[in-house]
Amino acid sequence: MSSSINVEVIHELPLQPNLLDRDGFLTGLLNQVTVSEKDDCLQQLRDGAVKWVRHSVIPNTRDEEWRFTDLSPLKQVDFKLGMFQEISLESDILSEVSQRLVFVNGVYSPDLSHTEDLLAGLKVGNLNVLSDEVVQQYLAQSEGTREVFTALNTAALNDVAVVWVGKNVVVETPIHLLFVSVAGESATISQPRVLVVAESNSQLGLIEEYTNHRDTENTEKEVYFTNGVTEIWVNENAQVSHNRVVREGAAAFHVGKTAVTQARYSRYSCNAVTVGGRISRHNLEILQTGEQTETTLNGLTVIADNQLADTHSALSLNHPHGVSKQLHKCIIGDRAHGVFNGKIFVPKPAQLTNASQLNRNLLLSSKSRIDTKPQLEITADNVKCAHGATVSQLEDDQIFYLQSRGIDENNARKLLVNGFAMEIINFIPVAALRESLLKTVTSLTNK
């Protein structure tokens, strides 16, 4: 792995005057960036990302990857940089988790975090816990750095939530990364960044949670934009269990990128749950860099009203004997719109790959909508791969059966919906978080 920051291609882009600042909305967001002088080692990354953003435009429905997700409501909002605010976290603290990092409007809060009593070989904190050499080796080195929202995040790079697990270190309890948005008088933007490195033969559990500050009134009407990027490096024979939870306000916008790099013999699992948000998008990209990796992806999207939630995943299996399994579920009510596009790439060198993908969707209203596209691209000739999608509604005979057992119709519907969701929620390793998510799912689906 290179120890130098790989931004030469970005710097070599011809800076034609007519191509600079192609998108006024992006230019406005770039103008909200503030940079700390102490982060000189990040300046090259930021400069390259700024140039890339200035050459870019916000995706629209004419772009194949965004054709079902209209971002025009996002472009109509004038966002200002979110500032740190003092808050209370009593409702968000997970008692089963010992280590916690908290960022408020993208700003690290050491007072709300808990990073004491760390295991030897474990580093949890902000960017200060890593040397410049390690930062240059891993930060912004994943595939997909030139995607416009990822580049926008890098252009605003000021601090990072860091979890670094040394060789042969086993972390028994999950580490909680909590990103809280507190809207001000005007719409705000925050751009959190996460860097996770699991060295060879290590094991780690991670809970990455995005939420709004629920102690204030009218949080459903507060407008803010979270543009987050998470890079996870799973080195040889390492294991990472990643749980990603998004619970944004009903008027919020959320775009998230998870870039995972798996070395040989490594194991990575992701349990991603998205509830709420006016428009939310999660780009999950996994790159296999060695043979015999295991990848498990579980996802749940629950939306109602006029919300839109989009999940795009891309799994590149470039080496032999890779095993992957993906199950993504959507529960869609009212006039909400769900989108799922899962891609699995199996080129010729990836012989003896075993990959499966399934998207299951439950529509709770005749006006709810799902666009689903499971996708396999295979050129290897000795593989076992399968993919599929189902779209259904609550069956009358199922409801009748429960009613015949003394359960009224409303509770019968609730029981069926919760059962559909619990298959994914049960993968979350913390009981308190599972219970909280189930309550959120119930409140949304009962609207």
Side-chain angles (χ1 to χ4, degrees), residues 148-218:
V148 59
F149 286 106
T150 303
L152 181 64
N153 180 285
T154 303
L157 196 56
N158 211 21
D159 207 350
V160 182
V162 172
V163 178
W164 185 88
V165 189
K167 294 181 180 178
N168 306 310
V169 175
V170 177
V171 183
E172 298 288 349
T173 58
I175 295 170
H176 190 196
L177 308 182
L178 180 61
F179 300 93
V180 184
S181 293
V182 184
E185 295 181 358
S186 60
T188 59
I189 179 174
S190 63
Q191 304 195 69
R193 188 74 172 233
V194 177
L195 176 63
V196 178
V197 180
E199 295 285 8
S200 59
N201 304 304
S202 64
Q203 294 184 25
L204 169 68
L206 187 70
I207 297 173
E208 178 186 357
E209 184 177 5
Y210 298 86
T211 186
N212 61 339
H213 191 223
R214 294 189 295 274
D215 291 346
T216 60
E217 297 180 355
N218 298 321

Side-chain angles (χ1 to χ4, degrees), residues 34 50 122 270:
T34 59
V50 166
L122 173 64
C270 179

Side-chain angles (χ1 to χ4, degrees), residues 316-378:
S316 298
L317 299 169
N318 302 312
H319 298 270
H321 298 282
V323 177
S324 72
K325 182 179 180 181
Q326 181 175 19
L327 172 62
H328 188 86
K329 288 187 167 188
C330 297
I331 302 175
I332 307 170
D334 300 321
R335 297 174 180 269
H337 180 192
V339 181
F340 173 78
N341 185 194
K343 300 177 183 177
I344 299 178
F345 301 97
V346 188
K348 193 170 183 178
Q351 301 294 337
L352 300 173
T353 289
N354 186 346
S356 65
Q357 179 186 80
L358 177 61
N359 174 220
R360 296 181 60 196
N361 305 283
L362 181 61
L363 304 183
L364 302 182
S365 164
S366 60
K367 296 182 180 180
S368 57
R369 174 184 171 189
I370 178 70
D371 288 290
T372 176
K373 186 183 178 183
Q375 185 175 344
L376 291 175
E377 295 187 16
I378 305 170

Side-chain angles (χ1 to χ4, degrees), residues 73-74 77 79 183 187-188 212 218-226 247-254 275-280 305-307 447:
L74 176 71
V77 182
F79 291 101
T188 59
N212 61 339
N218 298 321
T219 54
E220 290 189 354
K221 298 180 180 179
E222 293 177 343
V223 179
Y224 60 89
F225 175 28
T226 302
R247 287 190 287 188
E248 303 283 25
F253 300 90
H254 180 100
V275 292
R278 181 179 179 183
I279 296 177
S280 62
D305 299 324
N306 290 301
Q307 296 171 332
K447 288 185 176 181

Side-chain angles (χ1 to χ4, degrees), residues 22-238:
R22 293 179 61 198
D23 191 312
F25 177 74
L26 287 175
T27 302
L29 295 182
L30 285 175
N31 291 337
Q32 298 298 320
V33 171
T34 59
V35 175
S36 173
E37 295 181 358
K38 66 180 180 180
D39 294 331
D40 292 338
C41 67
L42 304 179
Q43 194 59 50
Q44 186 182 6
L45 281 174
R46 286 191 292 257
D47 289 346
V50 166
K51 292 179 180 180
W52 188 266
V53 173
R54 291 189 183 280
H55 284 77
S56 305
V57 295
I58 289 289
N60 57 56
T61 54
R62 292 189 297 273
D63 299 312
E64 179 63 25
E65 293 298 303
W66 292 84
R67 67 190 182 105
F68 297 119
T69 302
D70 183 6
L71 293 178
S72 57
L74 176 71
K75 297 187 67 174
Q76 294 171 5
V77 182
D78 182 19
F79 291 101
K80 304 299 182 183
L81 182 65
M83 306 302 292
F84 178 81
Q85 297 187 36
E86 296 290 344
I87 62 172
S88 171
L89 281 184
E90 293 181 6
S91 61
D92 294 297
I93 292 178
L94 303 175
S95 59
E96 300 171 60
V97 175
S98 56
Q99 310 298 333
R100 178 178 65 251
L101 290 180
V102 179
F103 285 70
V104 180
N105 286 342
V107 180
Y108 176 57
S109 173
D111 294 335
L112 297 175
S113 303
H114 187 276
T115 58
E116 290 76 21
D117 303 320
L118 294 176
L119 291 172
L122 173 64
K123 296 180 181 180
V124 180
N126 64 344
L127 204 54
N128 294 330
V129 303
L130 294 180
S131 66
D132 289 351
E133 290 76 13
V134 174
V135 172
Q136 292 173 358
Q137 185 178 4
Y138 289 107
L139 187 61
Q141 300 305 298
S142 301
E143 294 290 322
T145 56
R146 299 186 186 96
E147 187 271 330
V148 59
F149 286 106
T150 303
L152 181 64
N153 180 285
T154 303
L157 196 56
N158 211 21
D159 207 350
V160 182
V162 172
V163 178
W164 185 88
V165 189
K167 294 181 180 178
N168 306 310
V169 175
V170 177
V171 183
E172 298 288 349
T173 58
I175 295 170
H176 190 196
L177 308 182
L178 180 61
F179 300 93
V180 184
S181 293
V182 184
E185 295 181 358
S186 60
T188 59
I189 179 174
S190 63
Q191 304 195 69
R193 188 74 172 233
V194 177
L195 176 63
V196 178
V197 180
E199 295 285 8
S200 59
N201 304 304
S202 64
Q203 294 184 25
L204 169 68
L206 187 70
I207 297 173
E208 178 186 357
E209 184 177 5
Y210 298 86
T211 186
N212 61 339
H213 191 223
R214 294 189 295 274
D215 291 346
T216 60
E217 297 180 355
N218 298 321
T219 54
E220 290 189 354
K221 298 180 180 179
E222 293 177 343
V223 179
Y224 60 89
F225 175 28
T226 302
N227 178 36
V229 174
T230 298
E231 295 178 278
I232 300 177
W233 298 83
V234 193
N235 288 323
E236 184 173 337
N237 199 38

